[in-house]
Amino acid sequence: MGEHIETDLLVIGGGSGGLSVAAGASQMGADVVLLEGHKMGGDCLNYGCVPSKALLASARHAHAMTAGAPFGIAPHDPLIDYAGAKGHVKSVIAKIAPHDSVERFESLGVRVITDYGSFISRNTVDAGGTRISARRIVIATGSRPFVPPIPGLEGVTCHTNETIFDLQERPDHLIIIGGGPIGLEMAQAHVRLGSRVTVLEWAAALGKDDPELAAIVLESFRTEGVAIVEGAQAERVTGADGEITVHTKGGGTHTGSHLLMAVGRTPNIERLNLDKAGVAHDGRGISVDKRLRTSNRQVYAIGDTVAGGLQFTHVANYHAGIVIRQALFGLPARATAHHIPWATYTDPELAQVGLTEAQARQKHGIHLEVLRFEYGQNDRALAEGKTRGLIKVMVHRGRPVGASIVGAQAGELIQTWALAISSKLKVGAVANMVAPYPTLGEINKRAAGQYYVPRLFENDRVKRFVRFIQRW
Ligand code: NAD
């Protein structure tokens, strides 16, 4: 019979969400046990956000060598060491890994067990023979790539984001199934590192974002040579590694040397034995209420395991804070999604917070105002040659309810609007902010300023009033 541990808080899963809960709770005095059966840091550190941004950084350097002509720098073809770029990816992971390591968490006072957990009752979990009973349990087991049962897939190597970063030989022609953020980030990384790339997308690529802004990204991809085929549902795969053919519904065929599947994710809940704990779930994940409590009130679920939730590292971290407030301080914190931003780190970047224009029009009808401003009117964007871009801010009764940005640094610029929405600021707060000149950040201020154009500059009453004051 193994050890039986009793603890205040048991965290199952050592990815972004679980590590945030464990670090926060133990530093605030709780007795915490953390289970991780695979890699500390989870998908984000090992297979997701970190390696993808590192590979995109290599790709950006390669691209810059070809794009200097307008700046007076003779372009030339970069000598690309694909394995070297993968070495950069590995080195970035290695630099961040100590922060997420077993050693660091043990130094914070967390008891880390390197095994998978499985419920044996409503408040007890077994991990490799050790039983852990806890007053509160947090499920943070994340998600993994969904690989649909496409006939023929078993006959070829089908990469996912869990294997593509280990690939050392550059794909001659990478076929990517799925035109969401993973598919498109990997498409641009590979085309810039010298592969031919074809993206097959069932519906519309970047379909969760504003279509007007997504179109600007897609046009830029096509200019760089990425073939994006929309309305192409992958149905069947034939051939062998090196010459893989994907057949799409309606008779299309696309042949490439390598295959990457990026059609969404599936929650990691199978090993948990959730029924033993009375935790309700379905194929999409675990059902929770606004406070992230499952059907077993002692058990919370956070991040990608939550059914129907937004699947982002920053959402898992946000959820961690919601759980800590409740489990440690007894405060009735609630998770909301209206202020959660996201960004796709392509060039140009694409970022969103709150409602898109279409969602806002549906919700607010004629009371909606959409403020627009183009990157081409920003002096810094002109200096940097980054004029391809656009911001839209959706405003209802003087307050922003959504913002969409495509262009350089969109993931940074969106943060002003994430703050405005989460703090319920008026659009005037952004318009009145003094931004350093010349920065891309002025795009936010100028967009906000558009709110006052019809009210101040195109308003006869204002003009009459000003003339009157001048005479007085
Ligand atoms: P996704 O769900 O965002 O996109 C998958 C795409 O695949 C969809 O557009 C879908 O229509 C298409 N598809 C599904 N089946 C298909 C088929 N048989 N043939 C052709 N196309 C098919 O999924 P993803 O890109 O894998 O990303 C997974 C999650 O991770 C998402 O929630 C995403 O937002 C998140 N993510 C975010 C970032 C970021 O924030 N930068 C980066 C990567 C992933």
Side-chain angles (χ1 to χ4, degrees), residues 197 210 217 253 320 382:
V197 178
D210 180 297
V217 177
T253 58
L382 285 162

Side-chain angles (χ1 to χ4, degrees), residues 53 148 150 177-183 185 200-204 208 232-234 262-265 311-312 342-345:
K53 267 53 315 155
I150 297 177
I177 303 182
I182 294 183
E185 288 183 0
L200 304 176
E201 163 56 48
W202 181 336
K208 291 172 190 160
Q233 181 185 349
V263 298
R265 306 188 58 83
Q311 295 181 313
F312 299 107
W342 69 76
T344 302
Y345 299 94

Side-chain angles (χ1 to χ4, degrees), residues 3 120 138 150 164 166 168 174 191 203 231 242 277 291 362 430 432:
E3 190 184 354
I120 52 176
V138 181
I150 297 177
I164 192 81
D166 286 331
Q168 295 298 308
L174 181 64
V191 80
R291 292 169 58 179
Q362 195 169 18
V430 180
N432 291 333

Side-chain angles (χ1 to χ4, degrees), residues 265-350:
R265 306 188 58 83
T266 196
N268 294 324
I269 55 175
E270 296 80 0
R271 297 174 197 263
L272 289 166
N273 205 11
L274 292 171
D275 296 336
K276 217 40 178 201
V279 171
H281 59 96
D282 61 25
R284 297 176 316 137
I286 298 174
S287 315
V288 295
D289 64 8
K290 288 202 165 61
R291 292 169 58 179
L292 302 174
R293 295 177 303 185
T294 69
S295 52
N296 173 347
R297 289 295 187 246
Q298 276 178 277
V299 179
Y300 297 91
I302 66 171
D304 284 14
T305 54
V306 171
L310 291 170
Q311 295 181 313
F312 299 107
T313 288
H314 49 281
V315 171
N317 292 336
Y318 165 63
H319 283 176
I322 302 281
V323 166
I324 286 176
R325 268 180 266 168
Q326 296 178 80
L328 268 63
F329 301 106
L331 299 169
R334 284 161 187 265
T336 54
H338 70 285
H339 62 303
I340 304 285
W342 69 76
T344 302
Y345 299 94
T346 45
D347 174 12
E349 286 186 5
L350 182 61

Side-chain angles (χ1 to χ4, degrees), residues 108-159:
L108 293 175
V110 177
R111 166 94 187 250
V112 183
I113 299 176
T114 52
D115 219 320
Y116 291 103
S118 177
F119 281 94
I120 52 176
S121 75
R122 289 179 69 83
N123 72 340
T124 303
V125 169
D126 176 273
T130 302
R131 281 174 304 141
I132 309 104
S133 298
R135 290 177 49 241
R136 297 272 183 275
I137 298 175
V138 181
I139 300 173
T141 46
S143 64
R144 62 182 182 278
F146 170 64
V147 179
I150 297 177
L153 217 47
E154 63 289 347
V156 301
T157 303
C158 174
H159 285 285

Side-chain angles (χ1 to χ4, degrees), residues 373 431-432 445-467:
F373 194 79
N432 291 333
K445 181 177 164 69
R446 294 290 302 279
Q450 298 301 308
Y451 183 72
Y452 298 99
V453 167
R455 290 171 172 80
L456 291 177
F457 302 153
E458 296 162 3
N459 185 321
D460 288 341
R461 279 172 59 198
V462 172
K463 285 180 183 154
R464 280 200 299 277
F465 180 70
V466 169
R467 276 188 224 116

Side-chain angles (χ1 to χ4, degrees), residues 13-16 18-20 22-23 26-27 34-36 38-42 45-46 93-114:
S16 306
L19 293 181
S20 297
S26 85
Q27 289 178 95
L34 171 71
L35 308 182
E36 173 52 62
H38 188 44
K39 290 188 178 180
M40 292 286 278
L45 172 63
N46 298 292
I93 295 173
K95 281 183 193 130
I96 299 173
H99 189 263
D100 291 357
S101 65
V102 171
E103 295 72 28
R104 172 164 177 263
F105 277 77
E106 285 179 343
S107 77
L108 293 175
V110 177
R111 166 94 187 250
V112 183
I113 299 176
T114 52

